[in-house]
Amino acid sequence: MSRALLLAGLTAGLLLTSPALAAGTLIYCSEGSPDSFNPAIGTATTSIDTGLPVFDTLVAFEPGGTRIVPALADSWTISPDGLTYTFHLRRGVRWHGTAGFTPTREMTADDVLFSFERMWKPEHPYHRVSGAAYDIFKDTGLPDLLQSITKLDDHTVAMTLKRVEAPFLADLAMPTGSIHSKEYADLLLAKGTPEQIDRVPVGTGPYRFVGYQKDIAVRYKAFPRAGRASRRWTPWSSPSRRTPRCARPR
């Protein structure tokens, strides 16, 4: 099979498994160059697809359906007036590492605030990094909908809205709701290389970013996930976030 035919098949949605790949390795064959590995700022399919294996969201769509199920938040409550959503975060959720970053803590409310405030607040130090426009975040109306995002403790976050919004949880399950490491962001900002957050992604998802070969493939390694086992945590199995795989070009 020629490389051109292989890429055409991938564009049409054909996903093939290669038995030659090492266990725990995921290779996504890209039909084009992603402009970012951050699904919260990408608008092209190539950018969103290549970032999805790395990240988790607070909530997710159930496998094969549209019902909202727990992800990084293992439970939540909604105030009687429908305006305040309180998310209780999983404990024991680990971050990926890179050659220049070794995480020293687990995922906390600080990471949730960082991820949303970067998109929401123009004065945030990361708001303009990578020339991000946050088109999906804006298209869902979240900038005008949010009243406040508050850390109640290390594992509890409250989001208050200006008005009742039925699809709010569904909006959080979209790629724009990907949660990023504040510790990693702080390190990059101190080094003067904040744009690396969108080029060498660090998340909590089922696959850790390993490398990218321009116009060919993105490589990942399986990442064992841990968390409070109050319920099975498998949002990745949703069809909207199916594992991207491909055969090696021959």
Side-chain angles (χ1 to χ4, degrees), residues 117-137:
E117 288 182 348
R118 174 186 176 179
M119 298 183 287
W120 183 33
K121 297 186 174 183
E123 69 274 15
H124 192 279
Y126 266 87
H127 186 73
R128 293 179 175 82
V129 168
S130 302
Y134 312 108
D135 291 328
I136 299 176
F137 183 71

Side-chain angles (χ1 to χ4, degrees), residues 37 98-99 184 188 195-202 209:
F37 290 101
T98 71
Y184 182 47
L188 295 177
E195 67 282 349
Q196 285 296 100
I197 198 172
D198 303 317
R199 298 176 183 174
V200 183
V202 166
F209 177 84

Side-chain angles (χ1 to χ4, degrees), residues 110-181:
D110 291 327
D111 304 304
V112 177
L113 265 64
F114 166 80
S115 301
F116 283 97
E117 288 182 348
R118 174 186 176 179
M119 298 183 287
W120 183 33
K121 297 186 174 183
E123 69 274 15
H124 192 279
Y126 266 87
H127 186 73
R128 293 179 175 82
V129 168
S130 302
Y134 312 108
D135 291 328
I136 299 176
F137 183 71
K138 293 175 181 177
D139 288 345
T140 58
L142 288 174
D144 295 327
L145 177 65
L146 289 168
Q147 177 69 46
S148 65
I149 304 176
T150 307
K151 171 185 173 180
L152 302 183
D153 60 44
D154 281 347
H155 292 93
T156 312
V157 174
M159 295 187 181
T160 299
L161 312 182
K162 295 177 181 177
R163 63 182 183 276
V164 174
E165 184 79 355
F168 177 62
L169 287 175
D171 290 340
L172 298 186
M174 299 294 284
T176 192
S178 299
I179 303 302
H180 298 253
S181 167

Side-chain angles (χ1 to χ4, degrees), residues 25-243:
T25 298
L26 172 69
I27 298 181
Y28 176 79
C29 294
S30 175
E31 73 272 19
S33 301
D35 52 25
S36 169
F37 290 101
N38 179 355
I41 69 173
T43 54
T45 301
T46 50
S47 299
I48 295 174
D49 285 351
T50 53
L52 283 178
V54 177
F55 295 100
D56 287 306
T57 48
L58 287 176
V59 295
F61 296 106
E62 71 172 342
T66 57
R67 185 172 67 91
I68 299 299
V69 297
L72 287 179
D74 66 3
S75 66
W76 59 89
T77 58
I78 306 174
S79 63
D81 62 6
L83 295 178
T84 299
Y85 291 68
T86 302
F87 297 93
H88 303 280
L89 306 181
R90 292 183 184 274
R91 298 171 185 269
V93 177
R94 299 184 300 121
W95 290 103
H96 305 163
T98 71
F101 171 66
T102 300
T104 64
R105 62 170 178 78
E106 299 166 348
M107 186 270 301
T108 70
D110 291 327
D111 304 304
V112 177
L113 265 64
F114 166 80
S115 301
F116 283 97
E117 288 182 348
R118 174 186 176 179
M119 298 183 287
W120 183 33
K121 297 186 174 183
E123 69 274 15
H124 192 279
Y126 266 87
H127 186 73
R128 293 179 175 82
V129 168
S130 302
Y134 312 108
D135 291 328
I136 299 176
F137 183 71
K138 293 175 181 177
D139 288 345
T140 58
L142 288 174
D144 295 327
L145 177 65
L146 289 168
Q147 177 69 46
S148 65
I149 304 176
T150 307
K151 171 185 173 180
L152 302 183
D153 60 44
D154 281 347
H155 292 93
T156 312
V157 174
M159 295 187 181
T160 299
L161 312 182
K162 295 177 181 177
R163 63 182 183 276
V164 174
E165 184 79 355
F168 177 62
L169 287 175
D171 290 340
L172 298 186
M174 299 294 284
T176 192
S178 299
I179 303 302
H180 298 253
S181 167
K182 182 180 185 300
E183 182 182 23
Y184 182 47
D186 289 345
L187 173 67
L188 295 177
L189 195 62
K191 288 184 174 180
T193 58
E195 67 282 349
Q196 285 296 100
I197 198 172
D198 303 317
R199 298 176 183 174
V200 183
V202 166
T204 60
Y207 290 93
R208 176 177 61 84
F209 177 84
V210 174
Y212 167 55
Q213 186 177 0
K214 184 176 172 59
D215 294 333
I216 301 294
V218 185
R219 286 174 169 78
Y220 311 84
K221 282 289 186 180
F223 183 73
R225 299 201 289 179
R228 190 165 59 196
S230 58
R231 53 177 59 86
R232 193 177 181 190
W233 181 22
T234 58
W236 181 258
S237 60
S238 168
S240 64
R241 301 186 68 179
R242 67 184 66 167
T243 304

